[in-house]
Amino acid sequence: MSSDAPKPLSYNIAWAQRTFSDRPTTEALLAPERDAGNVSFNDYQAAARFFAGSHRLYRFIGGFLAIPVTFVFRRPSWSPLRTCSFFAASTLCGSFTGHTMAISAHVTFVRSLEDPSGFAQALENIRKDSGVYAPSGPTIVRSGSQWSVNAADPSPIERPSINPPSKWDQIRAVNARTSTNSSWDALRQRHERTRVPSVNSDSDPDAFERSRTEDRVAEQAKFNEMLERERNIKHDS
C-alpha cells in the first residue's frame, strides 16, 4: 500500500452521537481540528448542523407512532391481549424503522464529507483526548468514494487495562501499616496503665504509702520480667 493512500474513515455511530451531543459541543470539539487543517470549513459547518439535527429522535418518534397506529387499526372485537400484542409489535417495528432511518442519515452525512481522511484524523484525535472509546455497534467505513456499513467497529481501540494489586502487594501494605506499633510500645503502654494506683480515702496515709510503694516495686518487677522475656524472644529469633 502506498504511503500516500488516504486515511480511511471509521465512523462509529453510537460514539459519534454520544460525543457530539449538541451543536455547542460539536463546535468546541471540531474547532481545534478545523484550525489544525484536519477538518475543512464546509465539513465543520455540516457536522455542526447534522449532529444537532432531528435524526437523534427518529427511533423514539417511530416508537411513539405505535400509539395512533394502534387506535387506528384496533377493532372493537379485539381482546385486551391482542391489543397489547399489536401495540408492542407496532412499537418495536416503529423503533426499528426510526433506527434504520437514523443510520441512513449518518450514512448521508459521511458520504457528503469533502475530506473524509482529514475528518478521520480529527475523530481519532478527539477520541484519544476524551478517553471515550467507541462501543461495539454499527460503523460506517469510508475510503475515498467507497463506503460500507459494518455491524461492529472493524478497528477497535484497545482500552488501557488496570491491573489489580497482587496478593503480595496487599500483604506488604498490611505489614507496612502494622510495623509502626512494635511490641515494645505495647509493653510500655501496658506498664503505664498498670502504674495508676487505686486510692482509698478512708485508709491510713502511712499504710497507703507503703502499699503504693509495694505496688510500684511489684509492677516494676513484672515490667522487668516482660522486658527480659521480650529480649530473649528477639535474641532467639
Side-chain angles (χ1 to χ4, degrees), residues 2-223:
S2 173
S3 59
D4 297 333
K7 182 182 182 66
L9 170 61
S10 181
Y11 178 94
N12 185 281
I13 296 177
W15 178 87
Q17 290 200 138
R18 185 183 307 169
T19 303
F20 305 105
S21 55
D22 50 38
R23 185 174 186 124
T25 302
T26 302
E27 293 176 344
L29 291 175
L30 290 180
E33 302 299 329
R34 178 201 59 194
D35 298 339
N38 293 327
V39 179
S40 67
F41 179 79
N42 290 336
D43 288 345
Y44 171 81
Q45 293 291 338
R49 289 191 302 268
F50 171 74
F51 287 116
S54 60
H55 63 278
R56 294 176 172 273
L57 305 176
Y58 285 174
R59 184 175 58 179
F60 303 103
I61 294 174
F64 283 128
L65 285 177
I67 298 176
V69 168
T70 301
F71 276 102
V72 170
F73 287 94
R74 181 180 178 275
R75 297 293 180 265
S77 59
W78 285 9
S79 64
L81 178 60
R82 183 175 181 181
T83 302
C84 292
S85 300
F86 182 84
F87 175 75
S90 300
T91 302
L92 291 176
C93 183
S95 180
F96 178 78
T97 302
H99 183 61
T100 303
M101 293 176 61
I103 293 177
S104 178
H106 282 277
V107 171
T108 302
F109 165 70
V110 171
R111 294 183 62 186
S112 69
L113 294 173
E114 292 181 348
D115 184 9
S117 179
F119 201 83
Q121 184 62 49
L123 294 185
E124 182 177 341
N125 294 339
I126 294 172
R127 187 183 292 116
K128 290 180 179 179
D129 292 340
S130 64
V132 179
Y133 297 94
S136 179
T139 302
I140 305 171
V141 179
R142 179 181 172 184
S143 180
S145 60
Q146 303 295 322
W147 63 274
S148 62
V149 179
N150 299 329
D153 194 341
S155 56
I157 297 178
E158 294 293 333
R159 292 161 173 75
S161 59
I162 301 177
N163 296 326
S166 64
K167 197 67 176 178
W168 287 109
D169 294 334
Q170 297 176 4
I171 294 175
R172 293 190 190 99
V174 172
N175 291 337
R177 288 194 299 268
T178 58
S179 61
T180 56
N181 295 327
S182 64
S183 57
W184 290 99
D185 295 332
L187 287 173
R188 293 190 186 95
Q189 293 174 4
R190 192 186 313 165
H191 175 65
E192 292 296 331
R193 287 196 299 268
T194 57
R195 289 187 60 184
V196 179
S198 59
V199 179
N200 187 355
S201 59
D202 297 332
S203 61
D204 181 74
D206 295 334
F208 172 75
E209 288 295 331
R210 287 194 301 272
S211 176
R212 188 170 64 173
T213 302
E214 292 173 356
D215 290 342
R216 282 201 299 266
V217 172
E219 293 299 332
Q220 185 65 39
K222 291 181 181 179
F223 180 69

